[in-house]
């Protein structure tokens, strides 16, 4: 299963960016799809995720500023990031977990995309 991420870039503080991640390949079902981020010298952390059943999960630091949505038909997750802050600067990684067949799970990562927020 491959994940193709897009979006990211440079934005001023208070601005907005949208990240998208599309899953492709032999996919039976997706149980989890979301975004992590990792800044230099820090651990990778979950930013936001969409889980089967329509549940969403957000890091405390982004609640009220970021939203996540999932296009089931396109197997694409979108992360809308508003009111960006300098501390949001990081490399963002898309992650998806699910099943390729009833017997074969997958856990895939997309290439990282840089988000830089200037103060």
């Amino acid at each position: 299963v491959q994940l193709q991420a897009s979006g990211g870039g440079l934005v001023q503080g208070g601005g907005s960016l949208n990240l998208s991640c599309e899953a492709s390949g032999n996919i039976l079902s997706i149980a989890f799809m979301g975004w992590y981020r990792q800044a230099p010298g820090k651990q990778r952390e979950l930013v936001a995720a969409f889980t089967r059943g329509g549940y969403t999960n957000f890091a405390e630091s982004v609640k009220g500023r970021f939203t996540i949505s999932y296009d089931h038909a396109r197997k694409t997750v979108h992360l809308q990031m508003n009111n960006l802050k300098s501390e949001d600067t990081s490399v963002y990684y898309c992650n998806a977990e699910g099943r390729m067949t009833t017997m074969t799970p997958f856990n895939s990562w997309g290439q990282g995309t840089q988000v830089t927020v200037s103060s």
Side-chain angles (χ1 to χ4, degrees), residues 95-111:
N95 174 246
E97 297 178 20
R99 292 199 169 271
M100 299 175 67
T101 71
T102 55
M103 300 295 292
T104 309
F106 73 86
N107 186 340
S108 297
W109 290 88
Q111 81 279 14

Side-chain angles (χ1 to χ4, degrees), residues 2-21:
Q2 296 78 42
L3 301 182
Q4 181 64 48
S6 60
L10 173 64
V11 66
Q12 283 192 331
S16 298
L17 285 174
N18 185 280
L19 303 181
S20 296
C21 177

Side-chain angles (χ1 to χ4, degrees), residues 36 55 59 71-72 83 85 97 106-107 115 119:
Y36 288 77
Y55 298 102
D71 184 335
H72 181 81
N83 190 20
K85 304 177 180 180
E97 297 178 20
F106 73 86
N107 186 340
V115 171
S119 55

Side-chain angles (χ1 to χ4, degrees), residues 1 3 23 27-33 50-52 70 72 75-76 96-99 106:
V1 174
L3 301 182
I27 300 171
L28 175 65
S29 63
I30 294 177
F32 172 99
M33 198 164 182
F50 201 96
T51 60
R52 191 167 49 199
Y70 180 62
H72 181 81
K75 297 182 178 63
T76 299
E97 297 178 20
R99 292 199 169 271
F106 73 86

Side-chain angles (χ1 to χ4, degrees), residues 55-75:
Y55 298 102
T56 57
N57 188 21
F58 294 91
E60 284 295 326
S61 60
V62 307
K63 283 182 179 178
R65 300 188 296 121
F66 292 12
T67 59
I68 190 166
S69 60
Y70 180 62
D71 184 335
H72 181 81
R74 292 179 169 80
K75 297 182 178 63

